Amino acid sequence: MSSEKQETAAVRVLGRWPSPFVIRVLVALRLKGVEYELVEEPMGNRSELLLASNPVHRKIPVLLHNGKAVSESLIIVQYVDEVWASQGPAIVPSDPYARAAERFWGQYVDDKFPSAIRVLRGKVAGDKDETAAQVAAALQHLEEAFVQCGQGKDYFGGDSIGYLDITLGSHVGWVRAVERMAGVSLLDAAKLPSLAAWADRFCAHPAVADVMPGTDRYVEFSVKNDGVPKAN
Amino acid sequence: MHEPGRQAEHLISSTPPRPAMDHQQEDATSEKVQLLGMWASPYVFKVKWALSIKGVEYEYVEEDLRNKSGQLLEHNPVHKKVPVLVYNGKPVAESDVIVEFIDEAWSHRGGRILPEDPHERAMARFWARFVYDKLKPPIWKWFTAAVEEEQEAAREAAVEQLKVLEEQLALGGKEFFGGESVGLVDLSLGALAYVIPMYEEIIGVSLVTEDRFPSLYAWMGRFLAAPPVKDHLPPLEKLELRFRAIREYFLKNT
C-alpha cells in the first residue's frame, strides 16, 4: 500500500451507480470483507484515471489493487475471489462442473440482459413487448438453472451468494425498474417462484443492500438521464 | 457449401499413454470424455487444443449442424451449439467455459492453460475476451463485406485491434501470450493463425504482414508448430473451399 501525502486506498473501484457491472464488484468485495474506496466516475466524461487504467475499453468498473488495474466485471469478481481466497465465503464454486455451470449461465445472463434492459429502459429503440418476452423466456431457463445449481438452497451458490448470484442479481435493480417503467412483468412470482424469492433474498443480503438501491432510485435515474431512445 | 449428410465420425484421438501416477485418481473405464464438434469450427479446435495440452484421450463426435443429433440437443438444450464436452455423462458448453473446465478438471497433469497468479489470470481472461469482442468482429466483417468501402473500413478497424495485440505480445517478450507455452490467450487467438492467411488469399488483400506486425506474424508460425496444435488442425484445403463459398454467398446476398 502506497503512503503518499494523500493516502491512496489499497483497493479502489472506478465506477458509478447504477451500473450493474460496478455493483458486482462492490458486492464481491463486501462478501470478502475487503475495504475499498469507490471512486465515482463522472457521467459523460471519462477521467484521466479511467483512461490510464483501462485504455483498451475505457469502461467501468475497473479495480485498482496495489497499483494494478483489473477490468471487466466478471473477471474482477473472479480476481477478488482468488486474491482474497482465505477470507469470506468462496464466490466461485470449488467443483469444476459447478463452476462451469455458473460460468455458462453467467455468459448467458450477459448475452441477454444488458441489451434487453437498454431497450426496456427506453435508452435504445426496440420493440418493448418482444424484448420483455425474450427476457421472460431467459428467466424461465434461469429458474430451472436455479433449481439445478442451488439444489434447494437459498442461492445459486447454495448457502451463500456466489458467482452466478452476483452476475444475475446485479441486474435485478434494473429489471424491477423496467417492470415499472415499461409496465411488464418479468420476475413474476407465479411463473418463477424460485427466482422471485431469490431476487428478494439477494437484494436484502448484507453485501448487497447498501450498494443496490431500491427501484424508485433507478426509475428516477432513468427518467432523468435516458432521454430519447437512440437507434439500436 | 455442400457437406455430405449426417457424419458420425468417432475418432479416438491418439495421445501418449498417461503416466502411471494418474491411475490412482482415474480409472480408465470411468473416465469417458466426448467432444461434440464440427470440423470447421474454431471453437471446437480451441477445445481440442486444450485437451491436447492436458494429454486427455477423448471420443470425437462430428455433428451435422443442419441435422442436430439427439445427443447434442440433450447436452446443450439452451444453445444447441458445438463444442460440447461430455465428461462422465455430464455436459459442459461454451468454449471458454470448457477450456477453463479442462484446466481445472485435469489440473494435475499437462501444462497450465491459465497462469497461477491471480492478476496474470485476470489479464489472460481479459485478452481472451478482447480477441472475441474486439478483434474477431472486424475481421469477419472484412472478410464478408460486399462493398469495397465497407471492406476497407473493417480492415482498418481490424488493424487497430491487431496493433493492440501486437503491443501486448511484444511487451511480454515471450514465445506465446501464455509465456513459454500455449495458454488461454493463444488458444483464443489460435484459429486466426490459419484463418487470416486464408482470408488474405481469398480476398487478395493482406492483413498481418511481417513488417507491420512482426511479433504476431512470428507467433502465427510458432502457434501452428506448437506441440498441442500441430497434429490437430482442420483440413485446410477443405476449409479454404468452405470460406470461398461463404464469401461468394455474402457477395451475392448483401
Side-chain angles (χ1 to χ4, degrees):
Chain A
M1 188 167 160
S2 62
S3 289
E4 302 153 33
K5 270 196 211 143
Q6 303 158 307
E7 273 205 42
T8 311
V11 181
R12 289 185 292 165
V13 180
L14 304 188
R16 176 182 64 240
W17 117 273
S19 161
F21 309 106
V22 171
I23 286 172
R24 286 173 183 173
V25 174
L26 304 183
V27 171
L29 289 166
R30 294 169 92 87
L31 266 177
K32 292 296 196 179
V34 176
E35 280 191 30
Y36 62 88
E37 181 195 344
L38 175 62
V39 179
E40 285 259 351
E41 262 297 301
M43 261 195 80
N45 221 0
R46 294 181 172 98
S47 71
E48 285 300 310
L49 184 57
L50 178 62
L51 295 174
S53 324
N54 189 1
V56 174
H57 299 298
R58 305 168 343 148
K59 284 184 176 175
I60 53 169
V62 179
L63 180 80
L64 297 169
H65 177 220
N66 291 338
K68 293 190 198 161
V70 184
S71 312
E72 303 285 288
S73 64
L74 294 180
I75 293 178
I76 300 172
V77 167
Q78 291 178 95
Y79 174 82
V80 168
D81 194 35
E82 290 164 16
V83 169
W84 287 284
S86 56
Q87 55 192 81
I91 296 177
V92 173
S94 52
D95 171 64
Y97 281 116
R99 211 177 265 207
E102 291 204 14
R103 284 183 178 139
F104 171 90
W105 287 112
Q107 273 191 26
Y108 180 82
V109 165
D110 276 355
D111 279 343
K112 304 281 177 193
F113 284 73
S115 50
I117 286 172
R118 277 195 289 274
V119 170
L120 292 169
R121 247 168 98 165
K123 204 172 172 190
V124 148
D127 183 334
K128 287 188 181 175
D129 288 327
E130 196 186 302
T131 304
Q134 287 167 6
V135 172
L139 285 167
Q140 201 61 58
H141 276 299
L142 288 158
E143 169 85 7
E144 287 159 30
F146 183 81
V147 172
Q148 275 168 24
C149 293
Q151 307 202 316
K153 295 196 174 158
D154 281 351
Y155 302 102
F156 285 93
D159 289 321
S160 74
I161 286 188
Y163 179 87
L164 185 52
D165 295 285
I166 293 174
T167 306
L168 179 60
S170 59
H171 287 302
V172 169
W174 275 115
V175 166
R176 290 215 166 119
V178 302
E179 280 181 317
R180 193 190 292 179
M181 294 189 296
V184 292
S185 177
L186 298 172
L187 272 167
D188 183 334
K191 293 188 184 146
L192 309 164
S194 305
L195 272 193
W198 163 83
D200 287 336
R201 232 176 273 131
F202 180 83
C203 294
H205 190 283
V208 179
D210 291 338
V211 295
M212 199 159 85
T215 308
D216 288 346
R217 283 202 54 197
Y218 279 92
V219 174
E220 201 181 291
F221 180 92
S222 181
V223 166
K224 191 170 160 197
N225 294 290
D226 285 342
V228 174
K230 296 195 188 74
N232 209 341
Chain B
M1 292 163 278
H2 296 289
E3 285 157 63
R6 172 147 162 59
Q7 295 164 7
E9 293 160 28
H10 296 268
L11 303 168
I12 309 291
S13 101
S14 59
T15 49
R18 291 171 290 166
M21 69 181 100
D22 285 353
H23 287 290
Q24 62 193 95
Q25 292 196 317
E26 292 142 19
D27 118 41
T29 53
S30 72
E31 181 176 291
K32 193 189 170 199
V33 186
Q34 258 193 336
L35 173 62
L36 309 186
M38 185 266 184
W39 68 272
S41 164
Y43 305 108
V44 169
F45 275 89
K46 185 162 69 174
V47 173
K48 284 189 175 187
W49 297 325
L51 288 165
S52 177
I53 288 172
K54 295 296 191 181
V56 173
E57 283 178 25
Y58 59 96
E59 181 197 355
Y60 175 75
V61 177
E62 175 74 15
E63 285 285 336
D64 176 355
L65 297 178
R66 294 162 307 170
N67 187 12
K68 293 171 181 176
S69 72
Q71 200 183 23
L72 176 60
L73 297 175
E74 183 202 332
H75 289 315
N76 192 2
V78 175
H79 300 300
K80 308 180 176 67
K81 284 182 180 175
V82 293
V84 179
L85 188 78
V86 186
Y87 182 29
N88 292 334
K90 286 192 196 175
V92 182
E94 291 294 299
S95 65
D96 289 337
V97 176
I98 298 173
V99 170
E100 291 217 27
F101 174 83
I102 289 170
D103 203 30
E104 291 154 11
W106 287 281
S107 59
H108 53 284
R109 59 195 271 182
R112 289 201 72 108
I113 298 177
L114 274 96
E116 195 162 346
D117 172 72
H119 188 258
E120 285 177 33
R121 290 165 73 82
M123 290 298 98
R125 288 172 174 143
F126 176 88
W127 289 110
R129 285 239 46 104
F130 174 87
V131 168
Y132 184 77
D133 289 339
K134 294 282 220 173
L135 180 62
K136 284 190 173 179
I139 291 180
W140 180 246
K141 236 178 163 173
W142 168 62
F143 181 65
T144 56
V147 173
E148 205 177 313
E149 286 92 32
E150 275 176 31
Q151 192 186 97
E152 189 42 44
R155 186 183 174 279
E156 278 171 26
V159 164
E160 283 313 301
Q161 306 308 336
L162 285 165
K163 281 184 191 165
V164 175
L165 267 184
E166 171 76 16
E167 198 184 303
Q168 266 309 114
L169 187 55
L171 265 173
K174 300 261 164 73
E175 300 243 305
F176 298 101
F177 288 90
E180 309 301 328
S181 59
V182 169
L184 183 72
V185 182
D186 304 282
L187 292 180
S188 298
L189 192 56
L192 290 178
Y194 54 81
V195 168
I196 287 178
M198 260 182 219
Y199 286 179
E200 290 172 332
E201 173 75 27
I202 293 169
I203 303 180
V205 176
S206 69
L207 182 63
V208 177
T209 56
E210 191 170 7
D211 57 80
R212 198 119 191 239
F213 297 105
S215 302
L216 276 176
Y217 188 85
W219 171 87
M220 284 163 75
R222 237 179 267 132
F223 181 83
L224 294 173
V229 177
K230 66 177 165 43
D231 296 323
H232 304 279
L233 288 172
L236 297 178
E237 278 170 29
K238 191 176 171 190
L239 189 62
E240 188 170 321
L241 286 173
R242 180 183 167 86
F243 280 135
R244 282 186 188 276
I246 289 173
R247 180 150 168 80
E248 280 307 304
Y249 172 84
F250 276 95
L251 289 177
K252 286 196 186 115
N253 290 287
T254 310

